[in-house]
Amino acid sequence: MGGNYEQHDVEVLLQEGALVINDGYRAKNSELSDTGIPFARAGNIDGGFHFEDADRVPTHTLAKVGLKRSLPGDVVFTSKGTVGRFAFVREETPEFVYSPQLCYWRSGDVSRIHPRWLFYWMNGREFLLQFKSVAGQTDMADYVSLRDQRAMKITLPPLPEQKAIAAVLGALDDKIELNRRMNATLEAMAQALFQSWFIDFDPVRRNADRDRNQPSPQPAGHPSPPGRRDGDEGLVEYDKLFPDSFQESELGPMPKSWEVCKFKDITSKIGSGATPRGGSEVYVDEGTALIRSQNVYDHEFHWEGLARLTDKSAVELKSVEVRRNDVLINITGDSILRTCVVDPSVLPARVNQHVAIIRAIEGIPPRYLHLYLAQQSMKSILIGMSAGATRHAITKGHLESIDVVKPSAPVLAAFETITTPWFDQIDANRTQSRTLATLRDTLLPKLLSGELCVDTFHPESQRK
């Protein structure tokens, strides 16, 4: 450690009010709802916050929660089950309620403990060794109790040093967060365009308006939200690619001349992966990627927990090789029907038995298939196909048999032309973020230990 670094008992810092540690609220099922603020569990914490599918705590019951609500500057620690995930509560992070799977550490005196430095310290070796030593003390799932945490020690540099370390590492994380938000915006643009063109059929309605010079009728089954438009007037120039009227189909009113077909008719491959043979010996630190269900999220490929295979195992699984632009979908388990397009940087790769590969035929944009499968209505249809089983599972036959709308070739080509630059930027941002995260993880232990002088990045004058 650095020469001016001092080790402190966490219990003493708690007594002095310099630090606050608490766990989550033990909510009854009857207290949870679909509305309110998120009830955060371990599954919602993964380098950040993912509240899309979180239960909610209604605002009228928040008085019961007390202090077990988030504040900006909190460091979140998954202390039960999946132990050792962290997240930092930013100013813009939505307020949430902590569940019993989570604990938070909070600076009670920012003149002694810088909140963001505390986050990086908890990601460092000193905290890691302490929580690892107590996490597996019971026969049940890993658990780090409040008593265990309060019995720990923490090494504090002087406050200017804390601020400088937080500034260096924080600048990297801020850029990663900026990339994440930019990607969320680009993804939302693509989803909005898909909704406008292929669900609400806005261009067809506009064409009908122009032809009749009167408000377009609402086709039954496809009501359009009031005032809904593409959001970008420049996209209206593509209206000429669309018809100006509707036809009836098995799926309801649909643009004239478009088709309804089976999913198998617009794909060249639908197939699940396979389990590598050979047990744990087939996994290595460097090798061909094995994509599992934990890597497939809705609209996003996650690298965390990515497995690697030996060359021999990769050859044996050649039949489940993933290619650029393949759509991935989880077909079993709690994460069933999460879907994304593979991150090209992960290739070469294979998939295991819980993930299916979907490959588009020529002329069908892969992102069209992905966004079609990502619709909640389509997920409901697929889940309905597996009803009656003890555990939901989607088969190749289920996927092949679903009815899909096949737009005209010019419309599909236009969709690909418009969205490809957006998705290319998303891929570039993700690649940059992984590079930045690697740099951050390399610097973190060296800065926390004092091995690397923080003045290299921030002169003394910048740490006042």
Side-chain angles (χ1 to χ4, degrees), residues 285-364:
D285 292 335
E286 299 290 337
T288 299
L290 178 67
I291 298 171
R292 300 176 291 179
S293 57
Q294 58 261 51
N295 304 120
V296 179
Y297 279 68
D298 272 336
H299 309 293
E300 187 174 359
F301 183 88
H302 279 212
W303 283 64
E304 292 80 5
L306 188 69
R308 299 282 179 177
L309 297 172
T310 62
D311 291 344
K312 180 182 177 182
S313 292
V315 170
E316 291 175 350
L317 297 182
K318 185 71 174 176
S319 63
V320 293
E321 179 182 14
V322 183
R323 297 179 186 174
R324 187 181 182 91
N325 292 323
D326 277 353
V327 179
L328 306 176
I329 185 168
N330 290 344
I331 54 176
T332 65
D334 295 337
S335 64
I336 192 170
L337 298 183
R338 288 197 313 217
T339 176
C340 68
V341 176
V342 67
D343 187 330
S345 299
V346 80
L347 303 178
R350 310 289 188 262
V351 293
N352 77 355
Q353 71 276 20
H354 301 296
V355 181
I357 298 169
I358 298 173
R359 189 168 299 150
I361 63 172
E362 186 175 353
I364 302 294

Coordinates of all heavy atoms in Angstrom, one line a residue, residues 285-364:
D285 N -8.9 -21.0 -20.9 CA -8.9 -19.5 -20.8 C -9.0 -18.8 -22.1 O -9.6 -17.8 -22.2 CB -7.7 -19.0 -20.0 CG -7.7 -19.5 -18.5 OD1 -8.8 -19.7 -18.0 OD2 -6.6 -19.6 -17.9
E286 N -8.3 -19.4 -23.1 CA -8.3 -18.8 -24.4 C -8.7 -19.9 -25.4 O -8.2 -21.0 -25.4 CB -6.9 -18.3 -24.8 CG -6.4 -17.2 -23.9 CD -7.1 -15.9 -24.0 OE1 -7.7 -15.7 -25.1 OE2 -7.1 -15.1 -23.1
G287 N -9.6 -19.6 -26.3 CA -10.1 -20.5 -27.3 C -11.4 -20.0 -27.9 O -11.8 -18.9 -27.8
T288 N -12.0 -20.9 -28.7 CA -13.3 -20.6 -29.3 C -14.4 -20.4 -28.3 O -14.5 -21.1 -27.3 CB -13.7 -21.8 -30.3 OG1 -12.7 -21.9 -31.3 CG2 -15.0 -21.4 -31.0
A289 N -15.1 -19.3 -28.5 CA -16.2 -18.9 -27.5 C -17.3 -20.0 -27.6 O -17.7 -20.5 -28.6 CB -16.7 -17.5 -27.8
L290 N -17.9 -20.2 -26.4 CA -19.1 -21.0 -26.3 C -20.2 -20.1 -25.7 O -20.1 -19.7 -24.5 CB -18.9 -22.2 -25.4 CG -20.2 -23.1 -25.2 CD1 -20.6 -23.8 -26.5 CD2 -20.0 -24.1 -24.1
I291 N -21.1 -19.8 -26.5 CA -22.2 -18.9 -26.1 C -23.3 -19.7 -25.4 O -23.8 -20.7 -25.8 CB -22.8 -18.2 -27.3 CG1 -21.7 -17.3 -28.0 CG2 -24.0 -17.3 -26.9 CD1 -22.1 -16.8 -29.4
R292 N -23.6 -19.2 -24.2 CA -24.6 -19.8 -23.3 C -25.8 -18.8 -23.1 O -25.7 -17.7 -23.5 CB -24.0 -20.3 -22.0 CG -22.9 -21.3 -22.2 CD -22.2 -21.7 -21.0 NE -21.4 -20.6 -20.4 CZ -20.8 -20.7 -19.2 NH1 -20.8 -21.8 -18.6 NH2 -20.1 -19.6 -18.8
S293 N -26.8 -19.2 -22.4 CA -28.0 -18.4 -22.2 C -27.7 -17.1 -21.5 O -28.3 -16.1 -21.7 CB -29.1 -19.2 -21.5 OG -28.7 -19.7 -20.3
Q294 N -26.7 -17.1 -20.6 CA -26.4 -15.9 -19.8 C -25.7 -14.9 -20.7 O -25.5 -13.7 -20.2 CB -25.5 -16.2 -18.6 CG -24.2 -16.9 -18.9 CD -24.2 -18.4 -18.7 OE1 -25.1 -19.1 -19.2 NE2 -23.3 -18.9 -17.9
N295 N -25.3 -15.2 -21.9 CA -24.7 -14.2 -22.8 C -25.7 -13.6 -23.7 O -25.4 -12.6 -24.4 CB -23.6 -14.9 -23.7 CG -22.6 -15.6 -22.9 OD1 -22.4 -16.8 -23.0 ND2 -21.9 -14.9 -22.0
V296 N -27.0 -14.1 -23.7 CA -28.0 -13.6 -24.6 C -29.0 -12.8 -23.9 O -29.8 -13.4 -23.1 CB -28.7 -14.8 -25.4 CG1 -29.7 -14.3 -26.3 CG2 -27.6 -15.6 -26.2
Y297 N -29.0 -11.5 -24.1 CA -30.0 -10.6 -23.5 C -30.9 -10.0 -24.6 O -30.5 -10.0 -25.8 CB -29.4 -9.5 -22.7 CG -28.9 -9.9 -21.3 CD1 -27.9 -10.9 -21.1 CD2 -29.6 -9.4 -20.2 CE1 -27.5 -11.3 -19.8 CE2 -29.2 -9.8 -18.9 CZ -28.2 -10.7 -18.7 OH -27.8 -11.1 -17.5
D298 N -32.0 -9.5 -24.3 CA -32.8 -8.8 -25.3 C -32.1 -7.6 -25.8 O -31.8 -6.7 -25.1 CB -34.2 -8.4 -24.7 CG -35.2 -9.5 -24.8 OD1 -35.1 -10.3 -25.7 OD2 -36.2 -9.5 -24.0
H299 N -31.8 -7.7 -27.1 CA -31.2 -6.6 -27.9 C -29.7 -6.4 -27.5 O -29.1 -5.5 -28.0 CB -31.9 -5.3 -27.7 CG -33.4 -5.4 -27.9 ND1 -33.9 -5.6 -29.2 CD2 -34.4 -5.3 -27.1 CE1 -35.2 -5.6 -29.1 NE2 -35.6 -5.5 -27.8
E300 N -29.1 -7.3 -26.7 CA -27.7 -7.0 -26.3 C -27.0 -8.4 -26.0 O -27.5 -9.2 -25.3 CB -27.6 -6.1 -25.1 CG -26.2 -5.7 -24.8 CD -26.2 -4.7 -23.6 OE1 -27.3 -4.3 -23.2 OE2 -25.1 -4.3 -23.2
F301 N -25.8 -8.5 -26.6 CA -25.0 -9.7 -26.3 C -24.1 -9.3 -25.1 O -23.4 -8.3 -25.1 CB -24.1 -10.0 -27.5 CG -23.3 -11.2 -27.3 CD1 -23.8 -12.5 -27.6 CD2 -22.0 -11.1 -26.8 CE1 -23.0 -13.6 -27.4 CE2 -21.2 -12.3 -26.6 CZ -21.7 -13.5 -26.9
H302 N -24.0 -10.2 -24.1 CA -23.2 -9.9 -22.9 C -22.0 -10.9 -22.9 O -22.1 -12.1 -23.1 CB -24.0 -10.2 -21.6 CG -24.9 -9.1 -21.2 ND1 -25.2 -8.8 -19.9 CD2 -25.5 -8.1 -22.0 CE1 -26.0 -7.7 -19.9 NE2 -26.2 -7.3 -21.1
W303 N -20.8 -10.3 -22.7 CA -19.6 -11.0 -22.7 C -19.3 -11.7 -21.3 O -18.5 -12.6 -21.2 CB -18.4 -10.1 -23.0 CG -18.3 -9.8 -24.5 CD1 -19.2 -9.2 -25.3 CD2 -17.3 -10.2 -25.4 NE1 -18.8 -9.1 -26.6 CE2 -17.6 -9.7 -26.6 CE3 -16.1 -10.9 -25.2 CZ2 -16.7 -9.9 -27.7 CZ3 -15.2 -11.1 -26.3 CH2 -15.6 -10.7 -27.5
E304 N -20.0 -11.2 -20.2 CA -19.7 -11.7 -18.9 C -20.0 -13.2 -18.8 O -21.1 -13.6 -19.3 CB -20.5 -10.9 -17.9 CG -20.1 -9.5 -17.7 CD -20.7 -8.6 -18.7 OE1 -21.5 -9.0 -19.6 OE2 -20.3 -7.4 -18.7
G305 N -19.1 -14.0 -18.3 CA -19.3 -15.4 -18.1 C -19.1 -16.2 -19.4 O -19.5 -17.4 -19.5
L306 N -18.5 -15.6 -20.4 CA -18.4 -16.3 -21.7 C -17.3 -17.4 -21.5 O -16.2 -17.2 -21.0 CB -17.8 -15.3 -22.8 CG -17.8 -15.8 -24.2 CD1 -19.2 -16.1 -24.7 CD2 -17.0 -14.8 -25.1
A307 N -17.7 -18.6 -21.9 CA -16.8 -19.8 -21.8 C -16.0 -19.9 -23.1 O -16.3 -19.4 -24.1 CB -17.7 -21.1 -21.6
R308 N -14.9 -20.6 -22.9 CA -14.0 -20.9 -24.1 C -13.7 -22.3 -24.2 O -13.5 -23.0 -23.2 CB -12.6 -20.1 -23.9 CG -12.8 -18.6 -23.8 CD -13.0 -18.0 -25.1 NE -13.1 -16.5 -25.1 CZ -13.3 -15.7 -26.1 NH1 -13.2 -16.3 -27.3 NH2 -13.4 -14.4 -26.0
L309 N -13.6 -22.8 -25.4 CA -13.4 -24.3 -25.7 C -12.0 -24.6 -26.3 O -11.4 -23.7 -26.9 CB -14.5 -24.7 -26.7 CG -15.9 -24.6 -26.3 CD1 -16.8 -24.9 -27.5 CD2 -16.2 -25.6 -25.2
T310 N -11.6 -25.8 -26.0 CA -10.4 -26.2 -26.6 C -10.6 -26.4 -28.1 O -11.7 -26.4 -28.6 CB -10.0 -27.6 -26.1 OG1 -11.0 -28.6 -26.4 CG2 -9.7 -27.6 -24.6
D311 N -9.5 -26.4 -28.9 CA -9.6 -26.6 -30.4 C -10.3 -27.8 -30.7 O -11.2 -27.9 -31.7 CB -8.2 -26.5 -31.0 CG -7.6 -25.2 -30.9 OD1 -8.3 -24.2 -30.6 OD2 -6.4 -25.1 -31.1
K312 N -10.1 -28.9 -30.0 CA -10.7 -30.2 -30.3 C -12.2 -30.1 -30.1 O -13.0 -30.6 -30.9 CB -10.1 -31.3 -29.3 CG -10.8 -32.6 -29.6 CD -10.2 -33.7 -28.6 CE -10.9 -35.0 -28.8 NZ -10.3 -36.0 -27.8
S313 N -12.7 -29.5 -29.0 CA -14.1 -29.4 -28.7 C -14.8 -28.5 -29.8 O -15.9 -28.7 -30.2 CB -14.4 -28.8 -27.3 OG -14.0 -29.7 -26.3
A314 N -14.1 -27.4 -30.2 CA -14.6 -26.5 -31.2 C -14.8 -27.2 -32.5 O -15.9 -27.0 -33.2 CB -13.7 -25.3 -31.4
V315 N -13.9 -28.1 -32.9 CA -14.1 -28.9 -34.1 C -15.3 -29.9 -34.0 O -16.1 -30.0 -34.9 CB -12.8 -29.7 -34.4 CG1 -13.1 -30.7 -35.5 CG2 -11.7 -28.8 -34.8
E316 N -15.4 -30.5 -32.8 CA -16.6 -31.4 -32.6 C -17.9 -30.7 -32.6 O -18.9 -31.3 -33.0 CB -16.4 -32.1 -31.2 CG -15.2 -33.1 -31.1 CD -15.0 -33.6 -29.7 OE1 -15.7 -33.1 -28.8 OE2 -14.2 -34.6 -29.6
L317 N -17.9 -29.4 -32.3 CA -19.2 -28.6 -32.3 C -19.3 -27.7 -33.6 O -20.0 -26.7 -33.6 CB -19.3 -27.8 -31.1 CG -19.3 -28.5 -29.7 CD1 -19.5 -27.5 -28.6 CD2 -20.5 -29.5 -29.7
K318 N -18.6 -28.1 -34.6 CA -18.6 -27.3 -35.9 C -20.0 -27.1 -36.4 O -20.3 -26.1 -37.0 CB -17.7 -28.0 -36.9 CG -17.5 -27.3 -38.2 CD -16.6 -26.1 -38.0 CE -16.3 -25.4 -39.3 NZ -15.5 -24.1 -39.2
S319 N -20.8 -28.1 -36.2 CA -22.2 -28.0 -36.8 C -23.0 -26.9 -36.1 O -24.1 -26.5 -36.6 CB -22.9 -29.3 -36.6 OG -23.1 -29.7 -35.2
V320 N -22.6 -26.4 -34.9 CA -23.3 -25.3 -34.3 C -22.5 -24.0 -34.2 O -22.5 -23.3 -33.3 CB -23.8 -25.7 -32.8 CG1 -24.8 -26.8 -32.9 CG2 -22.6 -26.2 -32.0
E321 N -21.7 -23.9 -35.3 CA -20.9 -22.7 -35.4 C -21.7 -21.4 -35.7 O -22.7 -21.5 -36.4 CB -19.9 -22.8 -36.6 CG -19.0 -21.6 -36.9 CD -18.1 -21.8 -38.1 OE1 -18.4 -22.8 -38.8 OE2 -17.2 -21.0 -38.2
V322 N -21.4 -20.4 -35.0 CA -22.1 -19.1 -35.2 C -21.4 -18.2 -36.2 O -20.2 -18.2 -36.3 CB -22.2 -18.3 -33.8 CG1 -23.0 -17.0 -34.0 CG2 -22.7 -19.2 -32.7
R323 N -22.2 -17.6 -37.0 CA -21.7 -16.7 -38.1 C -22.1 -15.3 -37.8 O -23.0 -15.0 -37.1 CB -22.2 -17.2 -39.5 CG -21.7 -18.6 -39.9 CD -22.3 -18.9 -41.2 NE -22.0 -20.3 -41.6 CZ -22.5 -20.9 -42.7 NH1 -23.3 -20.2 -43.5 NH2 -22.2 -22.1 -43.0
R324 N -21.4 -14.4 -38.5 CA -21.7 -13.0 -38.4 C -23.2 -12.8 -38.8 O -23.7 -13.4 -39.7 CB -20.8 -12.1 -39.3 CG -21.0 -10.6 -39.1 CD -20.1 -9.9 -40.1 NE -20.2 -8.5 -39.9 CZ -19.4 -7.7 -39.1 NH1 -18.5 -8.3 -38.4 NH2 -19.6 -6.4 -39.0
N325 N -23.9 -11.9 -38.0 CA -25.3 -11.6 -38.2 C -26.3 -12.7 -37.8 O -27.5 -12.5 -38.1 CB -25.6 -11.1 -39.7 CG -24.9 -9.8 -40.0 OD1 -24.8 -8.9 -39.1 ND2 -24.4 -9.7 -41.2
D326 N -25.8 -13.8 -37.2 CA -26.8 -14.8 -36.8 C -27.6 -14.2 -35.6 O -27.1 -13.5 -34.8 CB -26.0 -16.0 -36.3 CG -25.7 -17.0 -37.4 OD1 -26.1 -16.7 -38.5 OD2 -24.9 -17.9 -37.1
V327 N -28.9 -14.5 -35.6 CA -29.7 -14.2 -34.5 C -29.7 -15.3 -33.5 O -29.7 -16.5 -33.8 CB -31.2 -14.0 -35.0 CG1 -32.1 -13.7 -33.8 CG2 -31.3 -12.9 -36.0
L328 N -29.5 -15.0 -32.2 CA -29.5 -15.9 -31.1 C -30.7 -15.8 -30.3 O -31.2 -14.7 -30.0 CB -28.3 -15.7 -30.2 CG -26.9 -15.6 -31.0 CD1 -25.8 -15.3 -30.0 CD2 -26.6 -17.0 -31.6
I329 N -31.3 -16.9 -29.8 CA -32.5 -16.9 -29.0 C -32.4 -18.0 -27.9 O -32.0 -19.1 -28.2 CB -33.8 -17.0 -29.8 CG1 -35.0 -16.9 -28.9 CG2 -33.8 -18.3 -30.6 CD1 -36.3 -16.7 -29.7
N330 N -32.7 -17.7 -26.7 CA -32.6 -18.7 -25.6 C -33.9 -19.5 -25.7 O -35.0 -19.0 -25.8 CB -32.6 -18.0 -24.2 CG -31.2 -17.4 -24.0 OD1 -30.2 -17.6 -24.7 ND2 -31.1 -16.5 -23.0
I331 N -33.8 -20.8 -25.6 CA -34.9 -21.7 -25.9 C -35.3 -22.5 -24.7 O -36.3 -23.3 -24.7 CB -34.6 -22.6 -27.1 CG1 -33.3 -23.4 -26.9 CG2 -34.6 -21.9 -28.4 CD1 -33.0 -24.4 -27.9
T332 N -34.6 -22.3 -23.5 CA -35.0 -23.0 -22.3 C -34.7 -22.1 -21.1 O -33.9 -21.1 -21.3 CB -34.3 -24.3 -22.1 OG1 -32.9 -24.1 -21.9 CG2 -34.5 -25.3 -23.2
G333 N -35.1 -22.5 -19.9 CA -34.7 -21.8 -18.7 C -35.4 -20.5 -18.4 O -36.3 -20.1 -19.1
D334 N -35.0 -19.8 -17.3 CA -35.6 -18.6 -16.9 C -35.5 -17.5 -17.9 O -36.3 -16.5 -17.9 CB -35.0 -18.2 -15.5 CG -35.3 -19.2 -14.4 OD1 -36.3 -19.9 -14.6 OD2 -34.6 -19.2 -13.4
S335 N -34.4 -17.5 -18.7 CA -34.2 -16.5 -19.7 C -34.7 -16.8 -21.1 O -34.3 -16.2 -22.1 CB -32.7 -16.2 -19.8 OG -32.0 -17.3 -20.3
I336 N -35.7 -17.7 -21.1 CA -36.2 -18.2 -22.4 C -36.7 -17.0 -23.2 O -37.3 -16.1 -22.7 CB -37.3 -19.2 -22.2 CG1 -37.7 -19.9 -23.5 CG2 -38.5 -18.6 -21.5 CD1 -38.6 -21.1 -23.3
L337 N -36.4 -17.1 -24.5 CA -36.9 -16.1 -25.6 C -36.2 -14.8 -25.5 O -36.5 -13.9 -26.3 CB -38.4 -15.9 -25.5 CG -39.2 -17.1 -25.8 CD1 -40.7 -16.8 -25.8 CD2 -38.8 -17.8 -27.1
R338 N -35.2 -14.6 -24.6 CA -34.3 -13.4 -24.8 C -33.6 -13.6 -26.1 O -33.1 -14.7 -26.5 CB -33.3 -13.3 -23.7 CG -33.9 -12.9 -22.4 CD -32.9 -12.4 -21.4 NE -31.7 -13.2 -21.1 CZ -31.2 -13.3 -20.0 NH1 -31.7 -12.8 -18.9 NH2 -30.1 -14.1 -19.9
T339 N -33.4 -12.5 -26.9 CA -32.9 -12.7 -28.2 C -32.0 -11.5 -28.6 O -32.3 -10.3 -28.2 CB -34.0 -12.8 -29.3 OG1 -33.4 -12.9 -30.6 CG2 -35.0 -11.7 -29.2
C340 N -31.0 -11.7 -29.4 CA -30.1 -10.6 -29.8 C -29.4 -11.1 -31.1 O -29.5 -12.3 -31.5 CB -29.1 -10.2 -28.8 SG -27.8 -11.5 -28.4
V341 N -28.7 -10.2 -31.7 CA -27.8 -10.6 -32.8 C -26.4 -10.7 -32.3 O -26.0 -9.9 -31.4 CB -27.8 -9.5 -34.0 CG1 -26.8 -9.9 -35.1 CG2 -29.2 -9.4 -34.5
V342 N -25.7 -11.7 -32.7 CA -24.4 -12.0 -32.1 C -23.4 -10.8 -32.3 O -23.4 -10.1 -33.4 CB -23.7 -13.3 -32.7 CG1 -23.4 -13.1 -34.2 CG2 -22.5 -13.7 -32.0
D343 N -22.6 -10.5 -31.3 CA -21.6 -9.5 -31.4 C -20.5 -10.1 -32.3 O -19.9 -11.1 -32.0 CB -21.0 -9.2 -30.0 CG -20.1 -8.1 -30.0 OD1 -19.4 -7.8 -31.0 OD2 -20.0 -7.4 -29.0
P344 N -20.1 -9.5 -33.4 CA -19.2 -10.0 -34.3 C -17.8 -10.2 -33.7 O -17.0 -11.1 -34.1 CB -19.1 -9.0 -35.5 CG -19.7 -7.8 -35.0 CD -20.7 -8.2 -33.9
S345 N -17.5 -9.4 -32.6 CA -16.2 -9.5 -32.0 C -15.9 -10.8 -31.3 O -14.8 -11.2 -31.0 CB -15.9 -8.3 -31.1 OG -16.0 -7.1 -31.7
V346 N -17.0 -11.5 -31.0 CA -16.9 -12.8 -30.2 C -16.5 -14.0 -31.1 O -16.1 -15.0 -30.6 CB -18.2 -13.1 -29.4 CG1 -19.2 -13.7 -30.3 CG2 -17.9 -14.0 -28.2
L347 N -16.7 -13.8 -32.4 CA -16.4 -14.9 -33.3 C -14.9 -15.2 -33.4 O -14.1 -14.3 -33.3 CB -17.0 -14.6 -34.7 CG -18.5 -14.2 -34.7 CD1 -18.9 -13.9 -36.1 CD2 -19.3 -15.4 -34.2
P348 N -14.5 -16.5 -33.6 CA -15.4 -17.7 -33.8 C -16.1 -18.2 -32.5 O -15.5 -18.0 -31.4 CB -14.4 -18.7 -34.3 CG -13.1 -18.4 -33.7 CD -13.1 -16.9 -33.6
A349 N -17.3 -18.8 -32.7 CA -18.0 -19.1 -31.5 C -18.9 -20.3 -31.9 O -19.2 -20.6 -33.0 CB -18.9 -18.0 -31.1
R350 N -19.4 -21.0 -30.8 CA -20.4 -22.1 -30.9 C -21.5 -21.7 -29.9 O -21.3 -20.9 -29.1 CB -19.8 -23.4 -30.5 CG -18.5 -23.8 -31.3 CD -18.7 -24.1 -32.7 NE -17.5 -24.6 -33.4 CZ -16.7 -23.8 -34.1 NH1 -17.0 -22.5 -34.3 NH2 -15.6 -24.3 -34.7
V351 N -22.6 -22.5 -29.9 CA -23.7 -22.3 -28.9 C -23.9 -23.6 -28.2 O -23.8 -24.7 -28.8 CB -25.0 -21.7 -29.5 CG1 -24.8 -20.3 -30.1 CG2 -25.5 -22.6 -30.7
N352 N -24.3 -23.5 -26.9 CA -24.7 -24.7 -26.2 C -26.2 -25.0 -26.4 O -26.9 -24.4 -27.2 CB -24.3 -24.7 -24.8 CG -25.2 -23.8 -23.9 OD1 -26.2 -23.2 -24.4 ND2 -25.0 -23.8 -22.6
Q353 N -26.7 -26.1 -25.7 CA -28.0 -26.6 -26.0 C -29.1 -25.7 -25.6 O -30.3 -25.9 -26.0 CB -28.2 -28.0 -25.4 CG -28.3 -27.9 -23.8 CD -26.9 -27.9 -23.1 OE1 -25.9 -27.5 -23.7 NE2 -26.9 -28.3 -21.9
H354 N -28.8 -24.6 -24.9 CA -29.9 -23.7 -24.4 C -30.1 -22.6 -25.3 O -31.0 -21.7 -25.1 CB -29.5 -23.2 -23.0 CG -29.4 -24.3 -22.0 ND1 -30.4 -25.1 -21.6 CD2 -28.3 -24.7 -21.3 CE1 -30.0 -26.0 -20.7 NE2 -28.7 -25.7 -20.5
V355 N -29.3 -22.5 -26.4 CA -29.4 -21.3 -27.3 C -29.6 -21.9 -28.7 O -29.0 -22.9 -29.1 CB -28.1 -20.5 -27.2 CG1 -28.2 -19.3 -28.2 CG2 -27.9 -20.0 -25.8
A356 N -30.4 -21.2 -29.5 CA -30.6 -21.6 -30.9 C -30.1 -20.5 -31.8 O -30.1 -19.3 -31.5 CB -32.1 -21.8 -31.2
I357 N -29.6 -21.0 -33.0 CA -29.1 -20.1 -34.0 C -30.2 -19.9 -35.0 O -30.8 -20.9 -35.5 CB -27.8 -20.7 -34.7 CG1 -26.7 -20.8 -33.7 CG2 -27.4 -19.8 -35.9 CD1 -25.5 -21.7 -34.3
I358 N -30.5 -18.7 -35.4 CA -31.4 -18.4 -36.5 C -30.7 -17.6 -37.6 O -30.1 -16.5 -37.3 CB -32.6 -17.6 -36.0 CG1 -33.4 -18.5 -35.0 CG2 -33.6 -17.3 -37.1 CD1 -34.5 -17.8 -34.3
R359 N -30.7 -18.1 -38.8 CA -29.9 -17.5 -39.9 C -30.9 -17.1 -41.0 O -31.6 -17.9 -41.5 CB -28.8 -18.4 -40.4 CG -27.8 -17.8 -41.3 CD -26.6 -18.8 -41.5 NE -25.9 -19.0 -40.2 CZ -25.3 -20.1 -39.9 NH1 -25.3 -21.2 -40.7 NH2 -24.7 -20.2 -38.7
A360 N -30.8 -15.8 -41.4 CA -31.8 -15.3 -42.4 C -31.3 -15.8 -43.8 O -30.1 -15.9 -44.1 CB -31.8 -13.8 -42.4
I361 N -32.3 -15.9 -44.7 CA -32.0 -16.2 -46.1 C -31.6 -14.8 -46.7 O -31.8 -13.8 -46.2 CB -33.2 -16.8 -46.9 CG1 -34.4 -15.8 -46.9 CG2 -33.6 -18.1 -46.3 CD1 -35.5 -16.3 -47.7
E362 N -31.0 -14.9 -47.9 CA -30.6 -13.7 -48.6 C -31.9 -12.9 -48.9 O -32.9 -13.4 -49.3 CB -29.9 -14.1 -49.9 CG -29.4 -12.9 -50.7 CD -28.6 -13.3 -51.9 OE1 -28.4 -14.5 -52.1 OE2 -28.2 -12.4 -52.7
G363 N -31.7 -11.6 -48.7 CA -32.8 -10.6 -48.9 C -33.6 -10.3 -47.7 O -34.5 -9.4 -47.7
I364 N -33.4 -11.1 -46.6 CA -34.1 -10.8 -45.3 C -33.1 -10.3 -44.3 O -32.1 -11.0 -43.9 CB -34.7 -12.1 -44.7 CG1 -35.7 -12.7 -45.7 CG2 -35.4 -11.8 -43.4 CD1 -37.0 -11.8 -46.0

